[in-house]
Amino acid sequence: MAGRPKSYDDAQVLSQAMRTFWKQGYEATSYSDLEKSTGLGRQSLYGAFGDKKCLFVAALKHYGQNVTQLSLEILNQDGSPISNVGRWLRRLVERAARLKIGCLLTNTAIEAGTHDADVQQVVQQELACVEQALQRTLRRAVACGELSPQTNVSEVATYFFGVAQGLMVMGRMGQSRIRLTRFANVALATLQPAAN
Amino acid sequence: MAGRPKSYDDAQVLSQAMRTFWKQGYEATSYSDLEKSTGLGRQSLYGAFGDKKCLFVAALKHYGQNVTQLSLEILNQDGSPISNVGRWLRRLVERAARLKIGCLLTNTAIEAGTHDADVQQVVQQELACVEQALQRTLRRAVACGELSPQTNVSEVATYFFGVAQGLMVMGRMGQSRIRLTRFANVALATLQPAAN
DNA sequence: ACTATTATTGAACCGTCATTCCGTAATCGC
DNA sequence: GCGATTACGGAATGACGGTTCAATAATAGT
């Protein structure tokens, strides 16, 4: 038997909470902030998501399934694998330059540091998905001759993983789209020599 | 006329405060933490450095003049400029892998975000010094023929700036020395083609 | 209509935060 | 030694943090 129905949409609330954590960070976000951004009272927040940390990891996973998912889709597209990587990086640049708040996973990795193991594990897991997709894409590139057969795929995937992290930091610093674009261009040039 | 003498060394206290902020972040560091790590009472901390934010920017500048300074020295060494860049990056890898707490400037850039303009400006300024040193080193490399004359120096400097940020993020994530080394190696390979 | 169940609201709770007040201790010039 | 000055230690202070309690509102089943 069901009681009083919820007056909100879980996904929308989670999306707003995510955005607030994203902009302000975990520690700097209070329940008053969350009340304002979601429009819910805190008892509703507690009832639906548990305490602050639970709500945060829910927001983290929401981020993974909405924002990070787009990266995977781009990387997994059919067609030229290295142009997929290019589109992926350029999209990252575009978003980073526009939003100026970096990536929630990157920000969390830094804020949680070595302290909060639970949170850190969620972050690692989400980011690992991206790197694995990157690996598959690079492997396809080798298979279809876009990259040299001697390419160390996992090494290059790790490389682009790091490049993406650097991009997000620069984005959060509020650096110009031009600088981000330059960074991405030089990074992408790493893949070109083998294509000649 | 002088009163009671200080019972501590300013630089040492600042060094300990810096390390605490570095490990825990600004928001997550309380005065109780600072008392423990520095050994001073909070009245002494207030008397010597002002409020929390002032103490923090003092710690930031201390970081710049001690930790970041080492980067500049390596980059400015005589001899082969590109091997300077190599040594610089490998040292970053070594420290990042050993300490596992990233870079105070990077961490602060992410935590302060677009919120705290004062702090953000200090960070930008400290980091800009490194990028400028990088530019000078690369220019020397072009001058002595280690890099192609067509090299876009400022672009490549921005690139290594971003790479360093990515390295620091990965270090704070606690990723293995091997992964950091791989990242740095691929990044450094960008400079090699012109050397052949 | 009545009860059981769930959502919502607002206020209370207790701890901790940054900051400051006050009394004491240690050094100076004299 | 004495007063002026500065450093120190501990306890207050007021605000705000996350969390929970008590009361009310809204539905479903019977």
Side-chain angles (χ1 to χ4, degrees):
Chain A
M1 48 194 79
R4 177 174 176 175
K6 290 184 177 180
S7 67
Y8 56 88
D9 177 38
D10 272 48
Q12 270 182 335
V13 167
L14 216 45
S15 191
Q16 288 303 320
M18 174 193 82
R19 197 171 289 264
T20 305
F21 280 127
W22 193 357
K23 276 190 290 199
Q24 308 187 354
Y26 176 76
E27 298 267 11
T29 298
S30 69
Y31 265 92
S32 302
D33 295 330
L34 292 168
E35 281 180 339
K36 283 178 202 152
S37 64
T38 63
L40 269 69
R42 61 186 66 186
Q43 194 62 238
S44 301
L45 287 172
Y46 271 92
F49 304 102
D51 66 3
K52 193 184 179 188
K53 191 170 169 182
C54 290
L55 174 55
F56 182 65
V57 304
L60 268 186
K61 291 179 179 173
H62 186 80
Y63 183 90
Q65 289 169 8
N66 290 85
V67 180
T68 308
Q69 187 63 28
L70 296 176
S71 287
L72 301 190
E73 288 171 9
I74 293 175
L75 288 172
N76 290 335
Q77 279 177 359
D78 293 340
S80 162
I82 70 165
S83 81
N84 281 7
V85 175
R87 276 202 304 281
W88 169 68
L89 249 196
R90 288 175 208 287
R91 186 190 178 87
L92 252 52
V93 166
E94 174 53 34
R95 287 184 62 87
R98 188 158 35 101
L99 300 178
K100 296 183 187 305
I101 54 179
C103 164
L104 178 58
L105 298 173
T106 305
N107 300 351
T108 302
I110 286 194
E111 188 177 359
T114 55
H115 182 64
D116 197 324
D118 311 337
V119 171
Q120 201 69 323
Q121 191 175 356
V122 176
V123 172
Q124 298 268 1
Q125 183 178 336
E126 296 285 345
L127 289 176
C129 288
V130 178
E131 186 164 341
Q132 283 165 12
L134 214 35
Q135 276 197 20
R136 287 194 300 271
T137 304
L138 292 171
R139 225 168 252 126
R140 283 200 300 135
V142 171
C144 70
E146 284 188 347
L147 283 179
S148 157
Q150 300 124 357
T151 307
N152 187 332
V153 169
S154 73
E155 199 174 50
V156 176
T158 302
Y159 167 73
F160 277 105
F161 175 86
V163 166
Q165 301 305 321
L167 259 180
M168 291 309 159
V169 172
M170 290 174 71
R172 176 114 186 154
M173 284 176 177
Q175 299 205 353
S176 69
R177 177 181 279 100
I178 297 159
R179 278 177 61 80
L180 300 188
T181 305
R182 284 180 183 161
F183 177 29
N185 283 342
V186 178
L188 279 173
T190 307
L191 295 181
Q192 302 305 340
N196 293 348
Chain B
M1 46 197 81
R4 176 175 176 175
K6 291 185 178 181
S7 66
Y8 57 88
D9 176 38
D10 272 47
Q12 269 182 335
V13 168
L14 216 45
S15 192
Q16 287 304 321
M18 175 193 82
R19 197 172 288 263
T20 305
F21 280 127
W22 192 358
K23 275 189 290 199
Q24 308 186 355
Y26 176 77
E27 298 267 10
T29 299
S30 69
Y31 266 90
S32 302
D33 295 331
L34 292 168
E35 281 180 339
K36 283 178 202 154
S37 65
T38 63
L40 270 70
R42 60 187 68 187
Q43 195 61 237
S44 302
L45 287 171
Y46 271 93
F49 304 102
D51 65 4
K52 192 184 179 188
K53 192 170 169 182
C54 289
L55 172 56
F56 181 66
V57 303
L60 268 186
K61 290 177 180 174
H62 186 79
Y63 184 90
Q65 289 169 8
N66 290 84
V67 180
T68 308
Q69 187 63 27
L70 296 176
S71 287
L72 301 189
E73 288 171 9
I74 293 176
L75 288 172
N76 289 334
Q77 280 176 357
D78 293 339
S80 162
I82 71 166
S83 79
N84 281 7
V85 175
R87 276 202 305 281
W88 169 68
L89 249 196
R90 288 177 208 286
R91 187 192 176 86
L92 251 53
V93 166
E94 175 53 33
R95 288 183 62 87
R98 188 158 34 100
L99 300 177
K100 296 183 187 302
I101 55 179
C103 163
L104 178 58
L105 298 173
T106 305
N107 300 351
T108 302
I110 285 194
E111 189 179 358
T114 55
H115 182 62
D116 198 323
D118 311 338
V119 171
Q120 201 69 323
Q121 192 175 353
V122 176
V123 172
Q124 297 269 359
Q125 183 179 334
E126 296 286 345
L127 288 176
C129 289
V130 179
E131 186 165 341
Q132 283 164 14
L134 214 35
Q135 275 196 22
R136 286 194 300 272
T137 305
L138 292 170
R139 226 169 251 124
R140 282 200 300 135
V142 171
C144 69
E146 284 188 347
L147 284 178
S148 156
Q150 300 125 357
T151 307
N152 187 332
V153 169
S154 72
E155 199 174 49
V156 177
T158 303
Y159 167 73
F160 277 105
F161 175 86
V163 166
Q165 301 305 321
L167 259 181
M168 291 309 160
V169 172
M170 289 173 69
R172 176 116 187 151
M173 284 178 178
Q175 299 205 352
S176 69
R177 177 181 279 98
I178 297 159
R179 278 176 63 79
L180 299 187
T181 305
R182 284 180 184 162
F183 178 29
N185 283 342
V186 178
L188 279 174
T190 308
L191 296 181
Q192 302 306 340
N196 291 349

